[in-house]
Amino acid sequence: MAEELIVTENTTKVKKYEELIPQIKALVEGEPDLIANLSNIMSALKWTFGWLWIGIYFVKGDELVLGPFQGPIACTRIQLGRGVSGSAWNKKEVIIVPNVDEFPDHIICNSASKSEIVLPIMNINSDVSAILDADSDQLNDFDEVDKKYLSEIIAIIKTL
Ligand code: SME
């Protein structure tokens, strides 16, 4: 396992993802522990992109329960259908929110959050088993590029 990530600082988001993803694969290779791997993946994303918060929520019964994350403390439990994350779970689709103030029922875990992306993680039965949630302190910080590459990272997570 590498001891540090090497990602070019002043370059495009696409280039950063392209550099980061092979390193994420190497980071988790041969390590079977899900929590350890998710923790490292969240750190890799947080430190590469400088987002306010990035983390996993696991589906447990009719709630989302906080998993490995990087950033300020966050809401521990979110009900099905509530907030951006609960909606992504309910609808089984990626939700990009350019301005959280304009999203009905957005859950404020941290008042510095301005934009957000949430991706559902499906198991082999196509049930949502977890969600990946990233928050930025900048408006309009997430787009189709993040959707594409974070989906690739979810594909890695699904192999764990
Ligand atoms: N804002 C999210 C809640 C989770 S946090 O941002 C970490 C939402 O509305 O679902």
Side-chain angles (χ1 to χ4, degrees), residues 58-129:
F58 294 111
V59 172
K60 295 192 178 177
D62 58 0
E63 292 178 318
L64 292 169
V65 181
L66 185 62
F69 72 95
Q70 291 273 317
I73 58 166
C75 308
T76 310
R77 290 174 186 269
I78 295 171
Q79 308 301 312
L80 175 62
R82 288 290 325 280
V84 184
S85 44
S87 294
W89 171 22
N90 205 15
K91 293 180 178 163
K92 295 188 176 181
E93 60 189 37
V94 178
I95 300 182
I96 295 172
V97 182
N99 179 353
V100 296
D101 290 340
E102 292 174 0
F103 187 91
D105 196 34
H106 169 254
I107 298 169
I108 302 168
C109 293
N110 186 296
S111 58
S113 175
K114 298 277 184 284
S115 60
E116 179 164 359
I117 183 169
V118 179
L119 300 95
I121 303 175
M122 257 77 87
N123 64 19
I124 49 169
N125 299 320
S126 297
D127 295 322
V128 179
S129 56

Side-chain angles (χ1 to χ4, degrees), residues 18 21 119 143-153:
E18 297 276 357
I21 287 176
L119 300 95
D143 55 26
E144 292 299 315
V145 168
D146 301 284
K147 179 176 173 177
K148 172 178 186 282
Y149 287 102
L150 290 175
S151 297
E152 286 187 20
I153 290 169

